């Protein structure tokens, strides 16, 4: 197992730069724990990844607008894949979770951020990404996943935020966090629906301290972050969808003080 990166960086005549990067990374192999693992699933191999990235970063002279943009392409060999499987159709206790290897994987996309400050008291920022993923030459049992999207890989995601801050220390911020639908797993075709969550926070800050009230998932939207499919209910144990829900609306207060 070895990894590293090589980056070429060029400063532009204006306030910006461009770069190109090639990197190799890895995830160590290991073993799965469980008495009921299927044959050949006790160990999994090391995954290697090769990534090529092109990027551009720029800001206008007065600093009111800054942005960065990156395009990337990845190649994954012996891709590690989380698997959930019910080994016996009418026995829920035979449900197992383990890590296996796909033959290969391919990821490419674009990501970037934009920060706009038209006034010293107001800031708008946007972070987003578009992603395309595919399994290559991967079969799981009687399922042929060659060309299918990888699990937990939404095609787009974004975070749009607006912040107001007074010179006297009062501040308020609202964020809209969006995510496309995605496959839960390689062993079934259940998907999580797309979603947009709203987060708020407001407070007061001084030279050495900060106090804020925050609310996450303001509209209490129900969403699933993990999903499974197996037979649980007797007597027929018909396979059905089961999900792990994300956090509901919750709020809190944060107070911080910095000793200097």
């Amino acid at each position: 197992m070895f990894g590293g990166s090589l980056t070429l960086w060029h400063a532009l005549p204006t306030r910006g730069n461009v770069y190109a990067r090639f990197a190799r990374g890895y995830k160590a192999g290991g073993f799965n724990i469980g008495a009921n693992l299927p044959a050949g699933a006790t160990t999994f191999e090391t995954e290697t990844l090769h990534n090529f990235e092109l990027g551009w970063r720029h800001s206008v002279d007065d600093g009111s607008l800054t942005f960065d943009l990156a395009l990337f392409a990845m190649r994954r060999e012996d891709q590690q894949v989380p698997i959930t499987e019910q080994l016996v159709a009418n026995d829920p206790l035979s449900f197992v979770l383990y890590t296996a290897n796909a033959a290969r994987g391919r990821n490419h996309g674009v990501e970037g951020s934009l920060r706009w400050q038209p006034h010293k008291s107001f800031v708008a920022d946007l972070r987003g990404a578009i992603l395309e993923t595919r399994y290559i030459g991967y079969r799981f049992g009687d399922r042929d996943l060659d060309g299918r999207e990888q699990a937990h890989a939404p095609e787009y995601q974004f975070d749009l935020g607006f912040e107001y801050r007074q010179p006297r220390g009062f501040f308020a911020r609202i964020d809209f966090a969006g995510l496309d639908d995605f496959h839960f797993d390689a062993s079934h075709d259940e998907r999580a629906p797309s979603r947009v969550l709203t987060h708020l926070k407001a407070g007061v800050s001084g030279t050495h301290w900060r106090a804020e009230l925050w609310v996450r998932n303001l509209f209490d939207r129900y969403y699933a972050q993990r999903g499974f499919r197996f037979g649980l209910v007797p007597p027929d144990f018909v396979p059905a969808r089961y999900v792990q829900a994300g956090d509901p609306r919750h709020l809190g207060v944060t107070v911080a003080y910095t000793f200097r």
Side-chain angles (χ1 to χ4, degrees), residues 6-27:
L6 174 66
T7 303
L8 300 177
W9 192 285
H10 176 67
L12 299 173
T14 56
R15 296 168 57 103
N17 54 71
V18 293
Y19 68 90
R21 176 180 295 125
F22 176 77
R24 173 190 166 94
Y26 61 84
K27 292 172 64 177

Side-chain angles (χ1 to χ4, degrees), residues 110-160:
V110 57
E111 60 184 9
S113 66
L114 175 68
R115 185 179 187 274
W116 180 46
Q117 188 172 8
H119 187 272
K120 62 180 181 180
S121 298
F122 178 78
V123 175
D125 53 68
L126 171 67
R127 294 174 294 277
I130 298 174
L131 175 66
E132 182 177 346
T133 65
R134 292 291 183 267
Y135 294 117
I136 302 175
Y138 180 39
R139 295 187 63 89
F140 173 72
D142 59 355
R143 293 169 54 80
D144 185 357
L145 299 180
D146 183 39
R148 202 199 82 165
E149 294 177 355
Q150 297 170 19
H152 287 272
E155 289 190 354
Y156 69 81
Q157 52 187 314
F158 67 87
D159 189 301
L160 175 62

Side-chain angles (χ1 to χ4, degrees), residues 165-221:
R165 188 175 293 271
Q166 281 187 336
R168 295 183 178 181
F170 171 79
F171 63 90
R173 181 178 176 89
I174 183 170
D175 283 275
F176 305 95
L179 197 68
D180 190 23
D181 62 336
F182 57 86
H183 286 283
F184 283 125
D185 208 319
S187 55
H188 55 76
D189 294 319
E190 299 293 339
R191 298 176 67 92
S194 60
R195 63 177 183 261
V196 177
L197 304 181
T198 304
H199 312 305
L200 290 175
K201 68 177 180 180
V204 181
S205 63
T207 305
H208 301 291
W209 60 276
R210 185 184 80 257
E212 64 182 37
L213 171 68
W214 49 264
V215 183
R216 304 283 295 177
N217 193 2
L218 175 66
F219 299 109
D220 199 22
R221 176 161 184 184

Side-chain angles (χ1 to χ4, degrees), residues 43-63:
T43 62
F44 54 94
E45 302 298 324
T46 297
E47 174 185 341
T48 58
L49 179 146
H50 295 88
N51 178 58
F52 181 69
E53 180 178 338
L54 294 173
W56 177 30
R57 298 174 180 172
H58 184 76
S59 63
V60 299
D61 291 339
D62 62 0

Side-chain angles (χ1 to χ4, degrees), residues 228-246:
F228 311 91
R229 184 174 180 83
F230 59 96
L232 179 64
V233 180
D236 298 323
F237 297 97
V238 177
R241 171 190 174 106
Y242 297 92
V243 299
Q244 176 186 351

